[in-house]
């Protein structure tokens, strides 16, 4: 994603991509929570629940910020799938593949967030930048922790 967004409308579109990313992650994390199995079940089952609860908070915060700056947040699975760069859970993943997929997804989200943060700052929208900086910090911590879990 370009860091050279030039208008409020482009910033709104970028925030909507984040809303879509987090909505899709929410569904994916639920899938993983329900279908994880094996020796890491108890650890990952609880972790995936923690992550989908966090995702729902981000969806709400992003949607409310969008509304506050005159945007219209995406609010259907059709919109989420069209806007998000992430993919739905395929089904049949083992625990290791689930964690690997989440590392990939969270890394992509963090990279996209950096571009949106820069754009918000360029548009002097510090409240949006602050919101996104907090999300990015958490996402980067999750990437670190999930990579550490994988060994």
């Amino acid at each position: 994603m370009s860091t050279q967004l030039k208008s409020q409308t482009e910033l709104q579109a970028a925030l909507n991509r984040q809303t879509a990313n987090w909505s899709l992650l929410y569904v994916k994390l639920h899938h993983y929570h329900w279908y994880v199995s094996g020796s890491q079940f108890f650890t990952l089952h609880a972790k995936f629940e923690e992550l989908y609860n966090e995702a729902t908070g981000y969806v709400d915060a992003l949607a409310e910020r969008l509304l506050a700056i005159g945007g219209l947040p995406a609010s259907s699975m059709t919109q989420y799938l069209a806007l998000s760069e992430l993919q739905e859970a395929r089904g049949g993943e083992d625990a290791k593949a689930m964690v690997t997929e989440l590392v990939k997804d969270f890394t992509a989200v963090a990279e996209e967030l950096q571009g949106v943060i820069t754009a918000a700052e360029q548009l002097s929208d510090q409240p949006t930048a602050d919101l996104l900086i907090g999300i990015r910090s958490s996402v980067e911590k999750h990437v670190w922790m999930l990579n550490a879990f994988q060994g």
Side-chain angles (χ1 to χ4, degrees):
M1 174 176 161
S2 169
T3 59
Q4 297 299 316
L5 298 180
K6 294 180 178 51
S7 74
Q8 189 72 9
T9 302
E10 289 174 318
L11 179 60
Q12 291 167 357
L15 286 173
N16 238 343
R17 280 190 296 280
Q18 283 297 311
T19 302
N21 286 342
W22 285 104
S23 296
L24 190 59
L25 276 167
Y26 174 80
V27 173
K28 186 181 233 177
L29 287 160
H30 262 97
H31 174 88
Y32 289 171
H33 173 77
W34 293 326
Y35 289 101
V36 68
S37 62
S39 62
Q40 298 300 321
F41 170 80
F42 287 106
T43 300
L44 291 176
H45 185 75
K47 186 63 169 177
F48 295 156
E49 182 175 1
E50 173 192 326
L51 293 172
Y52 72 66
N53 285 330
E54 185 175 306
T56 195
Y58 292 155
V59 170
D60 194 52
L62 289 161
E64 288 175 352
R65 185 65 194 151
L66 257 167
L67 290 164
I69 64 171
L72 299 171
S75 59
S76 72
M77 285 307 297
T78 300
Q79 290 174 310
Y80 303 150
L81 290 168
L83 291 171
S84 180
E85 66 183 65
L86 308 179
Q87 300 296 313
E88 291 181 286
R90 294 179 313 278
E93 299 94 339
D94 63 14
K96 180 177 168 54
M98 290 174 180
V99 172
T100 298
E101 185 70 13
L102 288 176
V103 167
K104 184 181 95 178
D105 288 347
F106 284 147
T107 299
V109 167
E111 289 171 3
E112 185 175 318
L113 279 166
Q114 182 53 55
V116 185
I117 291 164
T118 301
E121 289 171 341
Q122 289 170 348
L123 294 169
S124 299
D125 185 347
Q126 201 58 47
T128 297
D130 288 348
L131 169 66
L132 300 176
I133 289 167
I135 295 171
R136 182 172 177 233
S137 176
S138 181
V139 169
E140 288 175 345
K141 182 177 179 182
H142 294 318
V143 169
W144 165 67
M145 295 179 88
L146 291 168
N147 276 325
F149 175 81
Q150 289 182 320

